Amino acid sequence: MEIIMGKLAGFCGGVINSVSKTEKLLNDTNSIYCLGELVHNKQVVDKLESKGMITIDSLDTIPDNSSVVIRAHGVAKDVYEFAKFKGIKIYDLTCPNVLKIHEKAEELANNDYYIILIAQKDHPEAIGTISFCGDRCSILENIDQLDDIVEDIKKSQLKKVAIISQTTFSVLKFNAFVQKIKTILVEYQIDVFNTICSATDLRQKETAEIAKEADAMIIIGGKNSSNTKKLYELSLNYCKDTFIIETVKDLDKDFSVYNKVGVMAGASTPKESIIEVIEYLKK
């Protein structure tokens, strides 16, 4: 069996930044709160919690003047305001690419744009980003939502529409959505800002290339990881025997029946999880 390993599998720059800085904080303080999952990978979070990180769902649950890490996906605008009110010290480890989108969203909102955020509606990044988009905005997750959004744009009486995206959204879907919007809103000024992370784009392209060549694909990543799910969906387009797992324990198949097996991992998948899967296939 030949194993084709994705060169871009595993931690992206934003995750490396969040994890390494949290580890340093824990070395200095022994304990620190984190608002939400730092990254969408249970193994990474469990390891940090064993070192003293305490994951919380709300700032309401901790004492005033505490210290809190902001996760890689970012948070809503009012979280910063509430933290300031409670005297909570913020260590903002939001991915730099996400922070740039927040800044761009505020700029667009202040310049009379109606903003369409193409994203997974319930994803923490989308929840954070939409809070910076002002009052005249919508999240587009599925194309069948577009009619309602068009009606809302017309009611807003704005003449300019800006399109931005969640950093881990499917590139293929984003492009398809943009084309559809342009065919409907022909009388509007439409400005498109492809804010999908370059690492996401490159990882999706590499996944597609490997899937075209492989007899089977294994996609490794956290159950809540949006970018991992996108890799799985993309791989299925080219390789019907595509399997998505969180760890090697989820593998219960004999892969020796395949000549070529491709392996790719999401942006928050630790190296250890990838190595374990490779060793499993070799055996």
Side-chain angles (χ1 to χ4, degrees), residues 30-61:
N30 296 320
S31 178
I32 195 165
Y33 294 104
C34 179
L35 184 56
E37 283 188 323
L38 182 71
V39 296
H40 280 159
N41 186 278
K42 187 177 185 299
Q43 289 68 47
V44 174
V45 172
D46 285 350
K47 185 176 180 180
L48 291 170
E49 287 182 340
S50 72
K51 295 180 178 182
M53 185 180 79
I54 304 167
T55 302
I56 58 172
D57 294 324
S58 170
L59 296 182
D60 287 327
T61 61

Side-chain angles (χ1 to χ4, degrees), residues 17-33:
N17 176 68
S18 297
V19 173
S20 62
K21 287 184 178 178
T22 299
E23 287 177 334
K24 186 178 186 306
L25 286 169
L26 289 170
N27 288 336
D28 295 339
T29 64
N30 296 320
S31 178
I32 195 165
Y33 294 104

Side-chain angles (χ1 to χ4, degrees), residues 6 36 51 80 88-89 108 113 133 168 182 184 254 260-261:
K51 295 180 178 182
Y80 294 100
I88 293 172
K89 184 174 182 179
L108 292 167
Y113 277 89
C133 294
T168 56
K182 285 183 174 180
I184 295 174
D254 179 10
K260 291 183 180 180
V261 177

Side-chain angles (χ1 to χ4, degrees), residues 162-223:
I163 303 172
I164 60 176
S165 176
Q166 179 180 326
T167 58
T168 56
F169 204 76
S170 163
V171 177
L172 292 176
K173 281 188 177 181
F174 176 81
N175 291 334
F177 287 3
V178 168
Q179 287 305 115
K180 184 68 174 178
I181 293 167
K182 285 183 174 180
T183 61
I184 295 174
L185 299 176
V186 291
E187 71 274 28
Y188 289 81
Q189 175 185 327
I190 300 177
D191 293 310
V192 181
F193 302 90
N194 185 346
T195 51
I196 295 173
C197 174
S198 59
T200 296
D201 186 13
L202 292 171
R203 189 181 285 107
Q204 288 180 8
K205 287 178 180 176
E206 186 182 25
T207 299
E209 290 305 310
I210 296 173
K212 290 174 185 176
E213 184 180 350
D215 303 308
M217 285 287 292
I218 300 172
I219 310 296
I220 316 166
K223 291 179 180 177

Side-chain angles (χ1 to χ4, degrees), residues 5-12 40-41 120 166-173 196-212 216-245 262-269 274:
M5 181 67 216
K7 295 177 182 178
L8 299 174
F11 281 4
C12 66
H40 280 159
N41 186 278
Q120 182 184 328
Q166 179 180 326
T167 58
T168 56
F169 204 76
S170 163
V171 177
L172 292 176
K173 281 188 177 181
I196 295 173
C197 174
S198 59
T200 296
D201 186 13
L202 292 171
R203 189 181 285 107
Q204 288 180 8
K205 287 178 180 176
E206 186 182 25
T207 299
E209 290 305 310
I210 296 173
K212 290 174 185 176
M217 285 287 292
I218 300 172
I219 310 296
I220 316 166
K223 291 179 180 177
N224 296 327
S225 170
S226 172
N227 75 90
T228 300
K229 290 176 183 175
K230 298 299 185 297
L231 296 178
Y232 171 69
E233 293 166 1
L234 179 63
S235 180
L236 276 174
N237 291 328
Y238 306 101
C239 181
K240 63 180 180 64
D241 287 358
T242 295
F243 307 88
I244 185 169
I245 64 169
V263 179
M264 181 54 78
S268 53
T269 306
I274 300 170

Side-chain angles (χ1 to χ4, degrees), residues 247-260:
T247 70
V248 71
K249 294 177 182 178
D250 299 323
L251 283 178
D252 57 359
K253 186 177 179 62
D254 179 10
F255 283 87
S256 64
V257 298
Y258 300 108
N259 293 320
K260 291 183 180 180

